[in-house]
Structure formats: structure tokens, C-alpha cells
């Protein structure tokens, strides 16, 4: 007789929409493997409402430190504004808890170094929420591309063209480097280009442009990039909050097929398409069709992968080098856009202004108080 799965004791930090609508359903979907024991929010009214909606005996705290001391959770889910992520992630790691934190994991590569050091000291791990990697369609596409089944990747396009109005940016922490970390490159398009990197692997060089065309924000409201991958493939990346017709798209043209994902905020198998090249036999193309099991991209899918890693005692996906790679891509895009120079992978290290902050202290982009 097999033993029942171990239930991990979970705390959530922040009880706003992303936790209530993303993490809480994921915990319910994994109720056999998790137990929500605590919630933290500085807003007592919001905290009380969350605890009522969560059901069960969920302890409430207005201080993360008090929560960590009182309940010692196995896993902490962080859904607070980005400027709090590094501090809260490090605190949870120091308490021995694993972390699943909303994107961006932190606001700079320097902050990431603090998280990596805390991981090393504690033996716990911190993953960032990039749920688009975990749907069955993405898993299948990656296996086909990385395995060479579609031929060599040649050309790719990554598009996050969304729309955000002035009311969206009226929230005090949005649109500011110190609290959001950047514009749509960090806050919106990062999901899609994380998936692009997941599909195509390591990149070598990036050239970019960015602009403030509409919104009165410190960061950009649109950015574009040209990217060369180690495989030789070339890609375009567009991140926008100016686009009335909203869409999220990743397309990869390989020697033998085009694979394309078109969605908005999440995907299932039906959002992926495969178009064979003219020379590909029909029976070979038929084998590319999406798998029978349809697992949508979601917090549920990513939480399951993290719990599997916890049970195995191994580094979870979306942590360590994987998390840093996506953050480095964002920093390189900003550096290339703001300096007008190409940026190569690995060149942004300690001492580089874009290691310390995504704006790099650039006089046209750094906040006035910088």
C-alpha cells in the first residue's frame, strides 16, 4: 500500500488578487499535498476577508517576521508588490522555507545575488512564478524543439502587446523603477520572453529600443529587441502596454515546421499550432500534434512541479540559473535600449550600473532622486 503524499505547510504573503485568484485555487487543487496555515497582509480588512474565503484555520498576521517565527512554514507563496520580493524571499529562505514568488523575483541582478546567497546558506530554494512554462502545450513544444524533431530553430517572434490605461498606473507602486522595476519589459512581457528562452535556450546578443510614448511613467511603455541565440536563431521581442488589440504570441520557425502559441493570459493545448514545411510527410507532422492530456498553463501546474521537487529534495524548476537567466535578459534589453549598444550574455556583472538597477543610472531614464 502506498503512503499518502506529505502535506506541506504553506503560508501566503499578500492577499490581493494574484493570491486570491491564482495561488489559492492552486492550493485547493493540491489539497492532498498542501495545507494553508497562515496569511500575511498589512491591510487587516483584506487579510480578514481572505481568511474567510480560504476556509479552515488560517492564522492571520500583519508582519511576515511574526508569521515566520510563529508557524515556521515549509513553503511561502509571495504575491506582494515587486519592491518587497527580495526582502521577503530572503527572510523566508533564512527561516528554512522554500519560496514561490510572483514575477519579477526581484528588481535587479544585484538583488538576485542576495537571494542566491540566502539559498546557499539555508539549503532552501526560491522559484519565480512563470506559469506559462508548465502547461502541457509548452512542455510538448519544448520537447520537440530541443529534441530536434522540428529541425533547427531559425527565426522566432515573441509578442506581448497589451493595453493599460492611466487608471492602471494610478496605483502608487506602478510605473516606478524603485517599486515595479521597469515598464512592460519587467511587468508584462517577461512571461512571454521567459517562455521563448525556455523553448530556445541560451541567447548570445541583444539589441533593443525603448520609449515612453503615452504614459507618464519613469520606465518605458514599449520596448523592442532583436536577439541572437546560441543556436544561431534570430528573434524579435515586443513588449507593449499601448496596444488596443491585446495578444500574447510566441512563434518559432524551424527548418521543418512553424510552431505558434497565440493566447492572452494563459494557454491550453488548443492555443498551439504546428505548420509543417512542404517537404515534411504527413505522418511525421501528425506525430507533432499536442498530447492527449490538456494541462493549462497555471499556478496549479507550476505548484505541482515545485511540490514534486520538494518531495525529491531537488532544486525546483524556475529557480537558480533559470530564474537568473530571465532576469539577465531583461537587464540586457534595458542596457541595449538605453545605451544604443549591443549587449552580450554574461557581460552585466557587479560594477556594471545595469547590475545594480534596470535603469542603469542612465540620465534619460533613472528616477530624479537617483
Amino acid at each position: 500500500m502506498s503512503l499518502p503524499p506529505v502535506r506541506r505547510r504553506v503560508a501566503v504573503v499578500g492577499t490581493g488578487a494574484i493570491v486570491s485568484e491564482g495561488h489559492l485555487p492552486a492550493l485547493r487543487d493540491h489539497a492532498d499535498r498542501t495545507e494553508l496555515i497562515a496569511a500575511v497582509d498589512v491591510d487587516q480588512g483584506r487579510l480578514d476577508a481572505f481568511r474567510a474565503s480560504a476556509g479552515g484555520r488560517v492564522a492571520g498576521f500583519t508582519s511576515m517576521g511574526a508569521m515566520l517565527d510563529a508557524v515556521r512554514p515549509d513553503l511561502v507563496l509571495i504575491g506582494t508588490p515587486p519592491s518587497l520580493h527580495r526582502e521577503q524571499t530572503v527572510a523566508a529562505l533564512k527561516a528554512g522555507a522554500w519560496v514561490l514568488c510572483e514575477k519579477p523575483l526581484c528588481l535587479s541582478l544585484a538583488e538576485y545575488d542576495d537571494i542566491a546567497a540566502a539559498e546557499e546558506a539555508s539549503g532552501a530554494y526560491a522559484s519565480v512564478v512563470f506559469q506559462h512554462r508548465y502547461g502541457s502545450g509548452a512542455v510538448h513544444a519544448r520537447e520537440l524543439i530541443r529534441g530536434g524533431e522540428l529541425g533547427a530553430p531559425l527565426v522566432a517572434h515573441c509578442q506581448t502587446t497589451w493595453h493599460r490605461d492611466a487608471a492602471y498606473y494610478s496605483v502608487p507602486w506602478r510605473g516606478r523603477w524603485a517599486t515595479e522595476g521597469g515598464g512592460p519589459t519587467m511587468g508584462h512581457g517577461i512571461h512571454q520572453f521567459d517562455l521563448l528562452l525556455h523553448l530556445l535556450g541560451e541567447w548570445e546578443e541583444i539589441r533593443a529600443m525603448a520609449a515612453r510614448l503615452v504614459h507618464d511613467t519613469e520606465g518605458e511603455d514599449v520596448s523592442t529587441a532583436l536577439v541572437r541565440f546560441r543556436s544561431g536563431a534570430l528573434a524579435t521581442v515586443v513588449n507593449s502596454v499601448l496596444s488596443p488589440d491585446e495578444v500574447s504570441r510566441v512563434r518559432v520557425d524551424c527548418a521543418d515546421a512553424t510552431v505558434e502559441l497565440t493566447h492572452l493570459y494563459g494557454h491550453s493545448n488548443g492555443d498551439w499550432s504546428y505548420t509543417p514545411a512542404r517537404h515534411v510527410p504527413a505522418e511525421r507532422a501528425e506525430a507533432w500534434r499536442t498530447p492527449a492530456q490538456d494541462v493549462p498553463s497555471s499556478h496549479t501546474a507550476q505548484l505541482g512541479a515545485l511540490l514534486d521537487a520538494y518531495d525529491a529534495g531537488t532544486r525546483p524548476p524556475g529557480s537558480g540559473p533559470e530564474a537568473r537567466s530571465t532576469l539577465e535578459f531583461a537587464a540586457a534589453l534595458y542596457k541595449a535600449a538605453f545605451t544604443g549598444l549591443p549587449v552580450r550574455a554574461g557581460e552585466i556583472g557587479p560594477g556594471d550600473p545595469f547590475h545594480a538597477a534596470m535603469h542603469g543610472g542612465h540620465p534619460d531614464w533613472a528616477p530624479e532622486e537617483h
Side-chain angles (χ1 to χ4, degrees):
M1 179 182 296
S2 61
L3 296 174
V6 176
R7 295 184 77 198
R8 306 298 175 185
R9 300 166 66 253
V10 181
V12 297
V13 181
T15 61
I18 194 64
V19 171
S20 298
E21 299 171 13
H23 291 282
L24 185 56
L27 290 170
R28 287 171 172 156
D29 288 341
H30 291 289
D32 61 331
R33 306 178 71 184
T34 64
E35 178 187 5
L36 179 60
I37 59 169
V40 181
D41 202 302
V42 295
D43 184 320
Q44 186 69 54
R46 188 167 57 199
L47 175 62
D48 291 343
F50 175 84
R51 292 173 65 202
S53 68
R57 296 182 178 180
V58 180
F61 299 85
T62 55
S63 159
M64 182 174 178
M67 180 276 291
L68 291 172
D69 289 341
V71 304
R72 311 298 293 185
D74 300 314
L75 173 64
V76 175
L77 309 181
I78 297 176
T80 53
S83 61
L84 302 174
H85 289 178
R86 180 200 63 83
E87 177 185 357
Q88 292 172 341
T89 296
V90 168
L93 291 170
K94 286 183 176 179
W98 285 32
V99 175
L100 180 59
C101 179
E102 281 298 321
K103 57 78 186 164
L105 178 60
C106 52
L107 300 186
S108 69
L109 290 168
E111 288 194 354
Y112 174 83
D113 291 344
D114 294 341
I115 292 172
E119 279 191 337
E120 181 68 23
S122 68
Y125 297 112
S127 291
V128 58
V129 174
F130 284 130
Q131 68 271 26
H132 294 330
R133 290 185 174 203
Y134 298 88
S136 52
V139 172
H140 183 63
R142 187 173 191 263
E143 290 174 350
L144 292 176
I145 294 171
R146 294 291 191 99
E149 295 297 322
L150 306 181
L154 302 172
V155 183
H157 176 64
C158 177
Q159 173 185 352
T160 304
T161 42
W162 293 357
H163 191 271
R164 298 293 183 266
D165 59 15
Y168 175 85
Y169 285 106
S170 68
V171 176
W173 61 264
R174 289 180 178 150
R176 299 179 58 232
W177 291 107
T179 47
E180 192 171 22
T185 305
M186 278 284 275
H188 303 85
I190 195 169
H191 275 298
Q192 256 60 241
F193 64 70
D194 173 77
L195 180 55
L196 182 73
L197 297 175
H198 188 58
L199 295 175
L200 292 186
E202 296 181 6
W203 59 277
E204 284 194 339
E205 181 182 343
I206 184 169
R207 300 166 186 256
M209 291 188 290
R212 287 185 212 96
L213 298 181
V214 174
H215 295 293
D216 182 19
T217 56
E218 290 181 352
E220 82 291 358
D221 54 18
V222 61
S223 68
T224 64
L226 303 175
V227 187
R228 186 188 310 276
F229 283 83
R230 181 165 294 180
S231 67
L234 298 181
T236 63
V237 176
V238 179
N239 309 296
S240 166
V241 287
L242 307 178
S243 308
D245 182 11
E246 295 187 291
V247 69
S248 306
R249 181 177 291 122
V250 174
R251 169 177 169 145
V252 181
D253 296 326
C254 300
D256 294 340
T258 292
V259 55
E260 185 167 11
L261 165 66
T262 304
H263 67 119
L264 186 54
Y265 298 136
H267 58 79
S268 58
N269 286 355
D271 297 313
W272 294 80
S273 66
Y274 292 83
T275 304
R278 293 186 181 92
H279 63 268
V280 172
E283 59 272 17
R284 181 182 171 201
E286 186 60 31
W288 301 336
R289 301 306 172 196
T290 48
Q293 185 182 21
D294 192 352
V295 179
S297 64
S298 64
H299 286 73
T300 294
Q302 180 162 2
L303 180 59
L306 183 145
L307 292 170
D308 289 345
Y310 201 127
D311 291 347
T314 59
R315 174 175 285 283
S319 68
E322 290 183 3
R324 190 188 187 283
S325 176
T326 302
L327 196 67
E328 182 193 9
F329 186 90
L333 192 157
Y334 280 125
K335 182 176 181 179
F338 296 169
T339 65
L341 299 173
V343 176
R344 298 190 66 82
E347 80 170 54
I348 302 177
D352 188 309
F354 288 89
H355 182 266
M358 290 290 171
H359 56 67
H362 191 280
D364 294 336
W365 288 95
E368 292 181 2
E369 66 268 23
H370 179 76

